[in-house]
Amino acid sequence: MLIRRTLRLIIVFAVALAGAVGGGVGIAQAEGNGPSARDRQLLFYNHSYGVFDRETADAIEHSDYLRDFANFQVRTTTGTGGQTWTGRYLMGRETYLELFGVGDIAGQDGTLGSAGLGLSTERAGDLATVTERLKDEGVADPVEFLQTRDFGDGVPVPWFDAILTTTEYDAFGAWAMEYRPEYFADPRGKTEPASFPGDVGRERYLSDDYRTHLMRDVTSVHLAVTEGDLADNVPLLRAGGFAVRTLGDGGVVASRGGTTIRFTTVPRDQAGLRQFEFSLNRPVKDRHVEQIGHSNLVVGPGSRAVWTFAANGAK
């Protein structure tokens, strides 16, 4: 779900009142050899979103192949403060994608190359621990937020709590989130029963409709981001328990938890989602290439698929 626009509209006011100042946290504070044994992983890849050129977004929306490949939906969501967004969704067992075209979202978040990354907890209470860990990563005042969801009847339900390191960004932002018990208790959410006490996990949140399609989960995502956006968000990955490694070219790879997150640093006009890799529910014998706008989805052979997007709509 897209939350950054809602967060920015509402939190900026709250931050001003509280005197909190975001941003400016450096990668150097978040580097290391990975989490220690005591640092249980608290955050896991939930979903990521990107804004693509109109031709690609329209091709995604009308693709018959994607409807076979994944549990695919086009839907409009109403969040906190009545903010709405319409996205194209590919949903797996625990992870999913949220895809937009230029102008689908108002303001800065609707520009070409805008992207976001949602990281979520699996156990109730872990978000509070992440918030404390962020202070050790140099984020003295993490920004906290409650997102609600309106199912169309004008009765919003608490959806999830969220934290982020800053409300300022060039084109990319990450947030940590923890689904609320009120949402799981609401039948309109169509969620699954808890598997253990305190279960607020991704598999419980998403439906089992993925089973009738090829796509199972996102195993890797590659994002091109500015240096400033990367520096602001690496501390959240470290606080969540990811093993963060800085590459020689200034990029970063965050691993652990089933999904590898790769960042490449670029100027703002080159920013955006670059690639997804997926696990499949079953192996396929032959290699299939599906061109979707300015992107190519390569499925198989085997139990893997790769979806690559041209840089900002380049052919």
Side-chain angles (χ1 to χ4, degrees):
M1 71 293 300
L2 178 72
I3 70 167
R4 194 172 60 189
R5 173 170 163 76
T6 309
L7 288 170
R8 182 164 184 146
L9 287 172
I10 296 177
I11 293 179
V12 165
F13 177 68
V15 169
L17 290 178
V21 178
V25 289
I27 293 177
Q29 294 173 302
E31 287 181 355
N33 297 320
S36 66
R38 67 178 178 81
D39 287 334
R40 176 174 62 87
Q41 185 159 6
L42 305 176
L43 295 178
F44 298 81
Y45 175 92
N46 185 287
H47 73 285
S48 48
Y49 78 83
V51 178
F52 302 96
D53 62 278
R54 175 54 53 188
E55 181 180 344
T56 300
D58 289 347
I60 291 170
E61 181 169 343
H62 299 292
S63 171
D64 291 333
Y65 184 82
L66 287 179
R67 284 167 169 78
D68 288 334
F69 174 73
N71 176 14
F72 181 90
Q73 295 180 10
V74 178
R75 72 167 188 264
T76 299
T77 305
T78 301
T80 299
Q83 294 297 316
T84 62
W85 57 91
T86 300
R88 303 145 188 84
Y89 296 83
L90 282 73
M91 293 172 288
R93 180 177 182 270
E94 294 183 319
T95 58
Y96 68 96
L97 324 179
E98 186 177 34
L99 310 175
F100 300 95
V102 171
D104 283 346
I105 314 160
Q108 179 180 353
D109 288 334
T111 57
L112 185 64
S114 182
L117 173 67
L119 308 169
S120 64
T121 65
E122 296 283 287
R123 297 177 179 273
D126 279 354
L127 190 65
T129 306
V130 172
T131 304
E132 289 302 311
R133 284 189 186 179
L134 273 174
K135 297 175 182 179
D136 294 333
E137 299 295 333
V139 183
D141 295 295
V143 183
E144 301 181 19
F145 178 73
L146 168 64
Q147 178 69 289
T148 65
R149 183 173 181 181
D150 187 332
F151 288 93
D153 55 8
V155 182
V157 60
W159 191 357
F160 57 85
D161 294 307
I163 56 171
L164 62 165
T165 63
T166 178
T167 57
E168 300 300 321
Y169 55 92
D170 296 321
F172 168 81
W175 62 92
M177 51 191 285
E178 184 168 292
Y179 293 118
R180 292 283 293 253
E182 298 95 325
Y183 188 86
F184 285 117
D186 194 314
R188 297 175 299 174
K190 300 179 181 178
T191 57
E192 301 173 5
S195 297
F196 53 84
D199 180 7
V200 293
R202 301 163 296 166
E203 196 278 332
R204 184 183 177 193
Y205 173 77
L206 293 174
S207 80
D208 287 337
D209 290 347
Y210 76 93
R211 293 176 176 174
T212 61
H213 302 273
L214 268 179
M215 175 186 154
R216 182 176 180 85
D217 267 317
V218 178
T219 58
S220 176
V221 59
H222 177 196
L223 300 115
V225 302
T226 66
E227 290 184 7
D229 283 346
L230 182 58
D232 282 340
N233 289 284
V234 163
L236 187 62
L237 295 165
R238 288 285 294 156
F242 283 89
V244 177
R245 178 168 55 95
T246 301
L247 306 178
D249 60 2
V252 162
V253 173
S255 57
R256 216 175 166 217
T259 303
T260 299
I261 307 165
R262 177 188 169 198
F263 298 94
T264 301
T265 56
V266 296
R268 167 61 186 93
D269 61 358
Q270 297 176 28
L273 266 171
R274 289 288 177 266
Q275 189 177 80
F276 291 104
E277 295 186 16
F278 308 96
S279 59
L280 305 180
N281 283 313
R282 59 184 182 278
V284 294
K285 181 179 179 181
D286 299 316
R287 182 177 185 265
H288 174 83
V289 179
E290 186 75 12
Q291 182 173 346
I292 308 170
H294 299 150
S295 72
N296 284 288
L297 174 61
V298 179
V299 181
S303 300
R304 177 175 174 266
V306 180
W307 194 359
T308 304
F309 296 85
N312 289 349
K315 295 182 179 180

